[in-house]
Each structure stands twice: as C-alpha cells, then as structure tokens.
C-alpha cells in the first residue's frame, strides 16, 4: 500500500516534529520539515508530495502563502494552511492561494486528521 506523502513546512522545529509524529500515527509519510518558502519549493519539486501542510508565517523572505501558490501552480499540489494568527487581511490573501483547508494553532489531533482526509479526497 502506498502511503500519502505530506510535506511539512513549519519554521518551528518542535511543532514540525510533533506534526510529523501525528502524520506517522495516521499512516502518512511525513516529508521535511522545510523551514522556508524557498526550501518548500525545492522539496516539492524533488519529493512530489500529495499534500503540503504550510505554515503561513515562515522565517524567510517568501511567505507560506506565496510558496503554496507557486507549488499549486507549478506542480498541482494542494496545501493546507496552518497559522496561529487570524488576521482578516492575511486570511483573505491566503484564500487567493485556494488552499484545501486551514488549521488554526493550536489544533487538536482529530482536527489535523480530518482536514488532511478532506484535502486528499
């Protein structure tokens, strides 16, 4: 059985590790983590994930929103945004990237499982 490969793009490494462990428990193959938008583009091209879990705020010049748009445009890979912020303007920009889902930090394990399942359908 092939596992779905999910790229984790998160600049907080403890959060990224926690997400990766949850993905493994759900039966997915976590990729990464990537800590920058630029690195996310490289990893998406090289690793061909089926989904990207993308933090909106990254420690790089390229935001998660811009990276998700580029990944979707270039390789057709959907993204689920993860953010601790609920800034209305930021959310409006995020919607333009046509995400397959959105999670607000902190989130529960069942929320992560459900948003991923919906995004992969």
């Amino acid at each position: 059985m092939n596992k779905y490969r999910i790229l984790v793009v998160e600049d907080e490494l403890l959060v990224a590790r926690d997400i990766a462990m949850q993905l493994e428990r759900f039966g997915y193959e976590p990729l990464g983590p990537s800590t920058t938008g630029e690195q996310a583009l490289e990893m998406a091209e090289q690793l061909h994930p089926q989904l990207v879990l993308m933090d909106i705020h990254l420690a790089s010049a390229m935001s998660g929103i811009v990276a998700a748009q580029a990944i979707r445009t270039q390789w057709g890979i959907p993204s689920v945004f993860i953010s601790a912020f609920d800034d209305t303007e930021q959310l409006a920009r995020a919607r333009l990237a046509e995400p397959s889902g959105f999670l607000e930090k902190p989130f529960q394990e069942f929320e992560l499982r459900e948003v991923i399942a919906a995004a992969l359908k």
Side-chain angles (χ1 to χ4, degrees):
M1 177 172 130
N2 288 335
K3 290 184 176 183
Y4 285 106
R5 298 161 47 92
I6 300 176
L7 177 59
V8 178
V9 184
E10 170 62 63
D11 58 359
E12 294 181 41
L13 291 178
L14 287 176
V15 174
R17 286 187 195 132
D18 182 57
I19 292 171
M21 289 187 323
Q22 290 179 61
L23 292 175
E24 287 176 345
R25 281 196 299 273
F26 302 157
Y28 301 120
E29 181 181 348
L31 304 175
S34 169
T35 58
T36 68
E38 296 83 0
Q39 185 182 37
L41 291 174
E42 292 173 15
M43 293 180 81
E45 181 177 26
Q46 294 170 0
L47 302 175
H48 308 288
Q50 282 79 35
L51 182 66
V52 178
L53 295 179
M54 180 74 71
D55 189 3
I56 290 177
H57 292 283
L58 298 171
S60 66
M62 182 182 292
S63 73
I65 296 169
V66 172
Q69 286 173 320
I71 290 169
R72 182 178 178 88
T73 300
Q74 292 179 29
W75 301 288
I77 302 169
S79 295
V80 168
F81 284 127
I82 301 174
S83 180
F85 305 98
D86 62 356
D87 176 350
T88 305
E89 181 180 320
Q90 172 186 280
L91 293 176
R93 284 195 332 267
R95 283 188 198 97
L96 295 176
E98 299 179 28
S100 293
F102 186 88
L103 280 173
E104 187 175 344
K105 295 179 192 176
F107 51 84
Q108 300 295 315
E109 190 170 295
F110 77 90
E111 292 173 302
L112 179 61
R113 182 179 24 239
E114 292 303 313
V115 76
I116 290 171
L120 290 172
K121 283 190 177 183

mmCIF file with all atom_site columns, all heavy atoms in Angstrom, residues 77-90:
data_model
loop_
_atom_site.group_PDB
_atom_site.id
_atom_site.type_symbol
_atom_site.label_atom_id
_atom_site.label_alt_id
_atom_site.label_comp_id
_atom_site.label_asym_id
_atom_site.label_entity_id
_atom_site.label_seq_id
_atom_site.pdbx_PDB_ins_code
_atom_site.Cartn_x
_atom_site.Cartn_y
_atom_site.Cartn_z
_atom_site.occupancy
_atom_site.B_iso_or_equiv
_atom_site.pdbx_formal_charge
_atom_site.auth_seq_id
_atom_site.auth_comp_id
_atom_site.auth_asym_id
_atom_site.auth_atom_id
_atom_site.pdbx_PDB_model_num
ATOM 1   N N   . ILE A 1 77 ? 0.022   20.644 -6.568 1.00 0.00 ? 77 ILE A N   1
ATOM 2   C CA  . ILE A 1 77 ? -0.025  20.035 -5.234 1.00 0.00 ? 77 ILE A CA  1
ATOM 3   C C   . ILE A 1 77 ? -0.836  20.944 -4.313 1.00 0.00 ? 77 ILE A C   1
ATOM 4   O O   . ILE A 1 77 ? -0.509  22.121 -4.162 1.00 0.00 ? 77 ILE A O   1
ATOM 5   C CB  . ILE A 1 77 ? 1.388   19.830 -4.668 1.00 0.00 ? 77 ILE A CB  1
ATOM 6   C CG1 . ILE A 1 77 ? 2.214   18.944 -5.607 1.00 0.00 ? 77 ILE A CG1 1
ATOM 7   C CG2 . ILE A 1 77 ? 1.320   19.230 -3.254 1.00 0.00 ? 77 ILE A CG2 1
ATOM 8   C CD1 . ILE A 1 77 ? 3.689   18.901 -5.271 1.00 0.00 ? 77 ILE A CD1 1
ATOM 9   N N   . PRO A 1 78 ? -1.875  20.404 -3.697 1.00 0.00 ? 78 PRO A N   1
ATOM 10  C CA  . PRO A 1 78 ? -2.695  21.232 -2.790 1.00 0.00 ? 78 PRO A CA  1
ATOM 11  C C   . PRO A 1 78 ? -1.988  21.480 -1.457 1.00 0.00 ? 78 PRO A C   1
ATOM 12  O O   . PRO A 1 78 ? -1.087  20.736 -1.067 1.00 0.00 ? 78 PRO A O   1
ATOM 13  C CB  . PRO A 1 78 ? -3.956  20.387 -2.590 1.00 0.00 ? 78 PRO A CB  1
ATOM 14  C CG  . PRO A 1 78 ? -3.500  18.983 -2.779 1.00 0.00 ? 78 PRO A CG  1
ATOM 15  C CD  . PRO A 1 78 ? -2.393  19.041 -3.817 1.00 0.00 ? 78 PRO A CD  1
ATOM 16  N N   . SER A 1 79 ? -2.431  22.530 -0.779 1.00 0.00 ? 79 SER A N   1
ATOM 17  C CA  . SER A 1 79 ? -1.883  22.889 0.528  1.00 0.00 ? 79 SER A CA  1
ATOM 18  C C   . SER A 1 79 ? -2.993  23.066 1.548  1.00 0.00 ? 79 SER A C   1
ATOM 19  O O   . SER A 1 79 ? -4.115  23.456 1.200  1.00 0.00 ? 79 SER A O   1
ATOM 20  C CB  . SER A 1 79 ? -1.104  24.210 0.449  1.00 0.00 ? 79 SER A CB  1
ATOM 21  O OG  . SER A 1 79 ? 0.036   24.082 -0.359 1.00 0.00 ? 79 SER A OG  1
ATOM 22  N N   . VAL A 1 80 ? -2.642  22.796 2.788  1.00 0.00 ? 80 VAL A N   1
ATOM 23  C CA  . VAL A 1 80 ? -3.474  23.129 3.934  1.00 0.00 ? 80 VAL A CA  1
ATOM 24  C C   . VAL A 1 80 ? -2.668  24.134 4.737  1.00 0.00 ? 80 VAL A C   1
ATOM 25  O O   . VAL A 1 80 ? -1.508  23.877 5.079  1.00 0.00 ? 80 VAL A O   1
ATOM 26  C CB  . VAL A 1 80 ? -3.795  21.884 4.794  1.00 0.00 ? 80 VAL A CB  1
ATOM 27  C CG1 . VAL A 1 80 ? -4.412  22.294 6.115  1.00 0.00 ? 80 VAL A CG1 1
ATOM 28  C CG2 . VAL A 1 80 ? -4.711  20.936 4.047  1.00 0.00 ? 80 VAL A CG2 1
ATOM 29  N N   . PHE A 1 81 ? -3.251  25.296 4.995  1.00 0.00 ? 81 PHE A N   1
ATOM 30  C CA  . PHE A 1 81 ? -2.550  26.319 5.761  1.00 0.00 ? 81 PHE A CA  1
ATOM 31  C C   . PHE A 1 81 ? -2.692  26.080 7.252  1.00 0.00 ? 81 PHE A C   1
ATOM 32  O O   . PHE A 1 81 ? -3.754  25.681 7.739  1.00 0.00 ? 81 PHE A O   1
ATOM 33  C CB  . PHE A 1 81 ? -3.083  27.720 5.440  1.00 0.00 ? 81 PHE A CB  1
ATOM 34  C CG  . PHE A 1 81 ? -2.619  28.249 4.117  1.00 0.00 ? 81 PHE A CG  1
ATOM 35  C CD1 . PHE A 1 81 ? -3.528  28.706 3.190  1.00 0.00 ? 81 PHE A CD1 1
ATOM 36  C CD2 . PHE A 1 81 ? -1.277  28.300 3.800  1.00 0.00 ? 81 PHE A CD2 1
ATOM 37  C CE1 . PHE A 1 81 ? -3.116  29.212 1.964  1.00 0.00 ? 81 PHE A CE1 1
ATOM 38  C CE2 . PHE A 1 81 ? -0.840  28.794 2.578  1.00 0.00 ? 81 PHE A CE2 1
ATOM 39  C CZ  . PHE A 1 81 ? -1.766  29.253 1.666  1.00 0.00 ? 81 PHE A CZ  1
ATOM 40  N N   . ILE A 1 82 ? -1.601  26.359 7.954  1.00 0.00 ? 82 ILE A N   1
ATOM 41  C CA  . ILE A 1 82 ? -1.570  26.288 9.411  1.00 0.00 ? 82 ILE A CA  1
ATOM 42  C C   . ILE A 1 82 ? -1.070  27.639 9.900  1.00 0.00 ? 82 ILE A C   1
ATOM 43  O O   . ILE A 1 82 ? -0.061  28.138 9.421  1.00 0.00 ? 82 ILE A O   1
ATOM 44  C CB  . ILE A 1 82 ? -0.622  25.183 9.891  1.00 0.00 ? 82 ILE A CB  1
ATOM 45  C CG1 . ILE A 1 82 ? -1.068  23.833 9.345  1.00 0.00 ? 82 ILE A CG1 1
ATOM 46  C CG2 . ILE A 1 82 ? -0.535  25.159 11.404 1.00 0.00 ? 82 ILE A CG2 1
ATOM 47  C CD1 . ILE A 1 82 ? -0.104  22.701 9.648  1.00 0.00 ? 82 ILE A CD1 1
ATOM 48  N N   . SER A 1 83 ? -1.797  28.232 10.849 1.00 0.00 ? 83 SER A N   1
ATOM 49  C CA  . SER A 1 83 ? -1.376  29.542 11.344 1.00 0.00 ? 83 SER A CA  1
ATOM 50  C C   . SER A 1 83 ? -1.877  29.770 12.762 1.00 0.00 ? 83 SER A C   1
ATOM 51  O O   . SER A 1 83 ? -2.941  29.277 13.137 1.00 0.00 ? 83 SER A O   1
ATOM 52  C CB  . SER A 1 83 ? -1.920  30.651 10.443 1.00 0.00 ? 83 SER A CB  1
ATOM 53  O OG  . SER A 1 83 ? -1.516  31.914 10.920 1.00 0.00 ? 83 SER A OG  1
ATOM 54  N N   . ALA A 1 84 ? -1.098  30.513 13.509 1.00 0.00 ? 84 ALA A N   1
ATOM 55  C CA  . ALA A 1 84 ? -1.512  30.909 14.857 1.00 0.00 ? 84 ALA A CA  1
ATOM 56  C C   . ALA A 1 84 ? -2.205  32.262 14.832 1.00 0.00 ? 84 ALA A C   1
ATOM 57  O O   . ALA A 1 84 ? -2.696  32.727 15.845 1.00 0.00 ? 84 ALA A O   1
ATOM 58  C CB  . ALA A 1 84 ? -0.300  30.965 15.785 1.00 0.00 ? 84 ALA A CB  1
ATOM 59  N N   . PHE A 1 85 ? -2.241  32.895 13.685 1.00 0.00 ? 85 PHE A N   1
ATOM 60  C CA  . PHE A 1 85 ? -2.790  34.235 13.559 1.00 0.00 ? 85 PHE A CA  1
ATOM 61  C C   . PHE A 1 85 ? -4.110  34.199 12.808 1.00 0.00 ? 85 PHE A C   1
ATOM 62  O O   . PHE A 1 85 ? -4.282  33.421 11.889 1.00 0.00 ? 85 PHE A O   1
ATOM 63  C CB  . PHE A 1 85 ? -1.808  35.145 12.819 1.00 0.00 ? 85 PHE A CB  1
ATOM 64  C CG  . PHE A 1 85 ? -0.450  35.171 13.462 1.00 0.00 ? 85 PHE A CG  1
ATOM 65  C CD1 . PHE A 1 85 ? 0.570   34.379 12.982 1.00 0.00 ? 85 PHE A CD1 1
ATOM 66  C CD2 . PHE A 1 85 ? -0.204  35.964 14.568 1.00 0.00 ? 85 PHE A CD2 1
ATOM 67  C CE1 . PHE A 1 85 ? 1.823   34.376 13.575 1.00 0.00 ? 85 PHE A CE1 1
ATOM 68  C CE2 . PHE A 1 85 ? 1.035   35.982 15.162 1.00 0.00 ? 85 PHE A CE2 1
ATOM 69  C CZ  . PHE A 1 85 ? 2.054   35.181 14.665 1.00 0.00 ? 85 PHE A CZ  1
ATOM 70  N N   . ASP A 1 86 ? -5.032  35.058 13.193 1.00 0.00 ? 86 ASP A N   1
ATOM 71  C CA  . ASP A 1 86 ? -6.318  35.117 12.495 1.00 0.00 ? 86 ASP A CA  1
ATOM 72  C C   . ASP A 1 86 ? -6.575  36.513 11.937 1.00 0.00 ? 86 ASP A C   1
ATOM 73  O O   . ASP A 1 86 ? -7.682  37.004 11.931 1.00 0.00 ? 86 ASP A O   1
ATOM 74  C CB  . ASP A 1 86 ? -7.460  34.655 13.398 1.00 0.00 ? 86 ASP A CB  1
ATOM 75  C CG  . ASP A 1 86 ? -7.643  35.529 14.620 1.00 0.00 ? 86 ASP A CG  1
ATOM 76  O OD1 . ASP A 1 86 ? -6.842  36.454 14.817 1.00 0.00 ? 86 ASP A OD1 1
ATOM 77  O OD2 . ASP A 1 86 ? -8.602  35.293 15.363 1.00 0.00 ? 86 ASP A OD2 1
ATOM 78  N N   . ASP A 1 87 ? -5.533  37.132 11.430 1.00 0.00 ? 87 ASP A N   1
ATOM 79  C CA  . ASP A 1 87 ? -5.596  38.438 10.802 1.00 0.00 ? 87 ASP A CA  1
ATOM 80  C C   . ASP A 1 87 ? -6.489  38.355 9.561  1.00 0.00 ? 87 ASP A C   1
ATOM 81  O O   . ASP A 1 87 ? -6.258  37.547 8.663  1.00 0.00 ? 87 ASP A O   1
ATOM 82  C CB  . ASP A 1 87 ? -4.174  38.865 10.428 1.00 0.00 ? 87 ASP A CB  1
ATOM 83  C CG  . ASP A 1 87 ? -4.090  40.170 9.682  1.00 0.00 ? 87 ASP A CG  1
ATOM 84  O OD1 . ASP A 1 87 ? -5.120  40.711 9.250  1.00 0.00 ? 87 ASP A OD1 1
ATOM 85  O OD2 . ASP A 1 87 ? -2.963  40.670 9.534  1.00 0.00 ? 87 ASP A OD2 1
ATOM 86  N N   . THR A 1 88 ? -7.532  39.166 9.505  1.00 0.00 ? 88 THR A N   1
ATOM 87  C CA  . THR A 1 88 ? -8.506  39.124 8.419  1.00 0.00 ? 88 THR A CA  1
ATOM 88  C C   . THR A 1 88 ? -7.859  39.363 7.058  1.00 0.00 ? 88 THR A C   1
ATOM 89  O O   . THR A 1 88 ? -8.163  38.666 6.088  1.00 0.00 ? 88 THR A O   1
ATOM 90  C CB  . THR A 1 88 ? -9.618  40.166 8.659  1.00 0.00 ? 88 THR A CB  1
ATOM 91  O OG1 . THR A 1 88 ? -10.185 39.921 9.939  1.00 0.00 ? 88 THR A OG1 1
ATOM 92  C CG2 . THR A 1 88 ? -10.683 40.081 7.594  1.00 0.00 ? 88 THR A CG2 1
ATOM 93  N N   . GLU A 1 89 ? -6.957  40.331 6.976  1.00 0.00 ? 89 GLU A N   1
ATOM 94  C CA  . GLU A 1 89 ? -6.289  40.630 5.703  1.00 0.00 ? 89 GLU A CA  1
ATOM 95  C C   . GLU A 1 89 ? -5.439  39.443 5.253  1.00 0.00 ? 89 GLU A C   1
ATOM 96  O O   . GLU A 1 89 ? -5.442  39.067 4.088  1.00 0.00 ? 89 GLU A O   1
ATOM 97  C CB  . GLU A 1 89 ? -5.412  41.878 5.848  1.00 0.00 ? 89 GLU A CB  1
ATOM 98  C CG  . GLU A 1 89 ? -4.694  42.270 4.573  1.00 0.00 ? 89 GLU A CG  1
ATOM 99  C CD  . GLU A 1 89 ? -3.840  43.512 4.757  1.00 0.00 ? 89 GLU A CD  1
ATOM 100 O OE1 . GLU A 1 89 ? -4.296  44.441 5.445  1.00 0.00 ? 89 GLU A OE1 1
ATOM 101 O OE2 . GLU A 1 89 ? -2.728  43.526 4.213  1.00 0.00 ? 89 GLU A OE2 1
ATOM 102 N N   . GLN A 1 90 ? -4.726  38.859 6.194  1.00 0.00 ? 90 GLN A N   1
ATOM 103 C CA  . GLN A 1 90 ? -3.890  37.700 5.877  1.00 0.00 ? 90 GLN A CA  1
ATOM 104 C C   . GLN A 1 90 ? -4.741  36.528 5.400  1.00 0.00 ? 90 GLN A C   1
ATOM 105 O O   . GLN A 1 90 ? -4.396  35.848 4.442  1.00 0.00 ? 90 GLN A O   1
ATOM 106 C CB  . GLN A 1 90 ? -3.106  37.294 7.116  1.00 0.00 ? 90 GLN A CB  1
ATOM 107 C CG  . GLN A 1 90 ? -2.346  35.993 6.962  1.00 0.00 ? 90 GLN A CG  1
ATOM 108 C CD  . GLN A 1 90 ? -1.720  35.602 8.263  1.00 0.00 ? 90 GLN A CD  1
ATOM 109 O OE1 . GLN A 1 90 ? -0.693  36.135 8.603  1.00 0.00 ? 90 GLN A OE1 1
ATOM 110 N NE2 . GLN A 1 90 ? -2.345  34.700 8.977  1.00 0.00 ? 90 GLN A NE2 1
#
